[in-house]
Amino acid sequence: QTPLKKTNALIAQMGITFLNAYVPSALCCPSRASILTGKYPHNHHVVNNTLEGNCSSKSWQKIQEPYTFPALLKTMCGYQTFFAGKYLNEYGAEDAGGVGHVPPGWSFWYALEKNSKYYNYTLSVNGKARRHGENYSVDYLTDVLANMSLDFLEYKSNFEPFFMMISTPAPHSPWIAAPQYKKSFQNVSAPRNSNFNIHGKNKHWLIRQAKTPMTNSSIQFLDDAYRKRWQTLLSVDDLIEKLVKKLEFHGELDNTYIFYTSDNGFHTGQFSLPIDKRQLYEFDIKVPLLVRGPGIKPNQTNKMLVANIDLGPTILDIAGYDLNKTQMDGMSLLPLLRGDKNVTWRSDFLVEYQGEGYNGSDPTCPGLGPGVTHCFPDCVCEDSYNNTYACVRTLSTSWDLQYCEFDDREVFVEVYNLTADPHQINNIAKTIDQEILEKMNYRLMMLQSCSGATCRTPGVFDPGYRFDPRLMFSNHGVRARRFSAQSL
């Protein structure tokens, strides 16, 4: 059962499904910034969903926006570009130019002011505010985005290539389904994997503090959320069907690449965390990535390790732009899409997150002390200022590992062998071979200070990797260098 039956039939079965697609940061704004810039968060400096965290700030607009891949597509490759939907969480904030600010690179701009909504929102229509109310037939955002996209395909110029980015907030909260879908999936509940509703022992303190077992009300809440998320995706499925049909009607389907992905995963009850993202585990950092288009054979899967920083380089590569002229950290997926043999590919990439938290303690949960945020009624908090970590996620022919370090008082380390433990229940940091730990620590330090081509150097488990133990510092030195690279 899936809410995306048509999407599967029209994109996955007609093209390629990447089985190991990830985001370097499991949170909307940093992740979207990575898609647009092709860069890791430590290079685009968007660390969370706030203006202070550089989300759609004046500094982002000045330093990063002119070099996003859509800006290059429009100015350097002559594309007409279309954006509709959620851009960055703080887009439209008064302190950052309001909805009058249209980022460079977009010929047609229909962007949602601020964060996800389905009704009662404001769109920036090429820089002019347009208010929407709560009448389903004219205001339901997923359908509004579909109609704007179809209009663009109908009236665009046929003399220039085109690029569209349709960014539906669904399935983000507040999870309001279209009226015809409100009764769907009545029997669906969140998956009960082996890490569902268990205590996150040997994990960092934020996970350890979750109440296990969860209260009945929390379980009901997360099951309900899961079902409502699926309901909202039925409208996304309709949108994709309409777009594909429109492209087919205009005779453009066979020469158009279509990418389907998300900006982060989401947990529902794993390690007794009711609902959210922001954590380092597979359920938060792994996303779908489906692609169809010219030269892509149908019904394929690919196991290579790919990330959302690869989307920009891939699209520029398709457009014929020289990637050496960019500062992007990602790699073009085009050789994988075409099924080229003998492609040298990465064996690891970086995951990094800078926790958010308030200075004061949460009045409902004073026992947890200051610095926590996103707390549930039963005092399970989903984030905190020292939920700040960096990981190397490794996938090679012989290894499937994740190594993470926390920037907290414990300098906590988590290591998982996903071959033996796909649900990341057992932290093997204390039992894994010390030499592997040192290599992973060194690799993490390299990735955290990487930029552009240095982000694509061979990982520890690549045949081309050379490890020089003389480069190891005392642990203290490593961390001092590491965290200075992280601060803005």
Side-chain angles (χ1 to χ4, degrees):
Q1 219 181 356
T2 166
L4 294 165
K5 285 199 172 98
K6 297 185 268 202
T7 304
N8 256 326
L10 294 169
I11 306 181
Q13 286 166 28
M14 300 305 290
I16 189 166
T17 300
F18 285 92
L19 301 174
N20 294 298
Y22 289 88
V23 295
S25 197
L27 189 61
C28 328
C29 208
S31 186
R32 286 159 182 270
S34 285
I35 291 172
L36 290 160
T37 59
K39 294 178 186 178
Y40 282 123
H42 69 265
N43 288 328
H44 61 57
H45 301 303
V46 178
V47 295
N48 58 37
N49 287 345
T50 64
L51 272 179
E52 300 72 45
N54 203 27
C55 181
S56 211
S57 67
K58 282 266 164 74
S59 153
W60 154 267
Q61 291 171 16
K62 192 170 91 198
I63 299 168
Q64 302 296 340
E65 268 185 353
Y67 304 102
T68 60
F69 80 84
L72 295 173
L73 274 182
K74 184 167 185 270
T75 54
M76 310 307 276
C77 309
Y79 272 65
Q80 47 191 328
T81 55
F82 168 93
F83 181 88
K86 175 178 168 179
Y87 180 57
L88 299 172
N89 299 51
E90 284 293 329
Y91 171 75
E94 283 308 308
D95 301 354
V99 294
H101 169 70
V102 177
W106 298 103
S107 330
F108 301 91
W109 177 253
Y110 302 97
L112 180 66
E113 179 191 31
K114 301 284 185 78
N115 203 356
S116 306
K117 286 188 171 177
Y118 295 77
Y119 292 109
N120 298 313
Y121 53 87
T122 296
L123 287 179
S124 167
V125 178
N126 300 319
K128 302 268 189 298
R130 182 198 288 170
R131 284 280 311 145
H132 275 266
E134 47 192 288
N135 174 348
Y136 169 71
S137 60
V138 290
D139 297 318
Y140 187 66
L141 183 61
T142 311
D143 294 353
V144 169
L145 299 179
N147 293 336
M148 286 171 164
S149 306
L150 297 174
D151 280 353
F152 169 74
L153 286 175
E154 190 64 44
Y155 299 114
K156 69 180 172 54
S157 151
N158 289 329
F159 302 106
E160 298 166 312
F162 69 94
F163 168 74
M164 304 174 73
M165 189 167 188
I166 304 160
S167 181
T168 66
H172 199 288
S173 62
W175 312 310
I176 301 170
Q180 68 271 32
Y181 294 137
K182 285 201 158 141
K183 297 223 164 20
S184 304
F185 305 122
Q186 288 304 315
N187 58 346
V188 165
S189 50
R192 303 305 203 247
N193 289 334
S194 53
N195 55 7
F196 180 81
N197 201 9
I198 63 167
H199 186 256
K201 59 182 192 306
N202 298 328
K203 294 187 165 32
H204 67 105
W205 76 272
L206 189 65
I207 308 293
R208 294 196 303 264
Q209 56 85 31
K211 306 275 187 298
T212 309
M214 290 181 284
T215 60
N216 288 343
S217 60
S218 277
I219 291 179
Q220 195 176 343
F221 181 77
L222 68 87
D223 277 338
D224 199 36
Y226 192 84
R227 187 162 44 248
K228 286 177 174 165
R229 286 164 64 80
W230 272 34
Q231 291 167 357
T232 67
L233 283 171
L234 289 169
S235 295
V236 177
D237 207 34
D238 291 342
L239 175 153
I240 284 162
E241 180 186 41
K242 288 174 194 162
L243 274 174
V244 170
K245 281 188 165 162
K246 187 72 149 182
L247 286 167
E248 193 168 26
F249 178 75
H250 284 294
E252 291 179 323
L253 184 57
D254 292 341
N255 63 353
T256 303
Y257 286 91
I258 305 175
F259 292 76
Y260 177 90
T261 190
S262 174
D263 55 359
N264 49 251
F266 201 72
H267 54 257
T268 42
Q270 291 91 338
F271 306 126
S272 303
L273 299 171
I275 57 157
D276 200 39
K277 48 234 176 183
R278 307 165 208 269
Q279 309 304 339
L280 54 89
Y281 309 103
E282 294 284 285
F283 43 75
D284 283 2
I285 61 172
K286 202 168 188 178
V287 290
L289 177 58
L290 318 172
V291 194
R292 71 170 284 172
I296 303 178
K297 295 194 178 76
N299 236 334
Q300 292 186 77
T301 56
N302 184 296
K303 291 182 174 166
M304 295 295 195
L305 191 56
V306 302
N308 69 3
I309 54 172
D310 301 333
L311 294 169
T314 305
I315 291 164
L316 288 172
D317 197 11
I318 288 169
Y321 188 71
D322 178 1
L323 296 178
N324 295 326
K325 293 183 180 163
T326 72
Q327 298 296 303
M328 293 182 176
D329 303 333
M331 302 165 69
S332 169
L333 302 173
L334 198 50
L336 302 184
L337 297 176
R338 288 187 179 142
D340 293 1
K341 299 285 176 270
N342 304 328
V343 180
T344 10
W345 201 254
R346 65 162 77 86
S347 68
D348 62 10
F349 80 100
L350 175 69
V351 180
E352 49 187 353
Y353 179 65
Q354 197 162 319
E356 278 183 81
Y358 304 115
N359 290 338
S361 55
D362 189 301
T364 54
C365 308
L368 287 171
V372 293
T373 177
H374 295 80
C375 297
F376 276 80
D378 37 13
C379 286
V380 178
C381 298
E382 294 281 1
D383 206 3
S384 68
Y385 68 90
N386 66 355
N387 181 35
T388 294
Y389 56 80
C391 308
V392 180
R393 180 72 181 87
T394 292
L395 190 60
S396 68
T397 43
S398 43
W399 293 95
D400 190 354
L401 289 177
Q402 188 174 9
Y403 169 90
C404 301
E405 284 184 19
F406 278 81
D407 184 10
D408 59 12
R409 276 202 303 255
E410 296 180 277
V411 195
F412 200 78
V413 175
E414 294 187 33
V415 182
Y416 298 99
N417 173 358
L418 284 100
T419 311
D421 177 24
H423 295 128
Q424 295 170 298
I425 293 165
N426 302 311
N427 177 7
I428 55 170
K430 294 203 166 58
T431 54
I432 195 170
D433 179 16
Q434 192 59 32
E435 190 191 350
I436 292 184
L437 270 186
E438 283 177 7
K439 282 183 172 179
M440 296 292 270
N441 168 280
Y442 174 66
R443 181 64 179 152
L444 182 61
M445 193 180 69
M446 299 304 288
L447 281 173
Q448 278 199 292
S449 53
C450 79
S451 174
T454 56
C455 298
R456 305 189 287 272
T457 54
V460 174
F461 296 102
D462 281 325
Y465 179 79
R466 294 286 171 270
F467 174 61
D468 183 351
R470 289 169 306 185
L471 295 171
M472 291 299 302
F473 309 104
S474 70
N475 264 349
H476 178 73
V478 170
R479 293 215 168 79
R481 251 190 63 179
R482 232 191 69 209
F483 292 118
S484 65
Q486 239 182 17
S487 53
L488 290 181

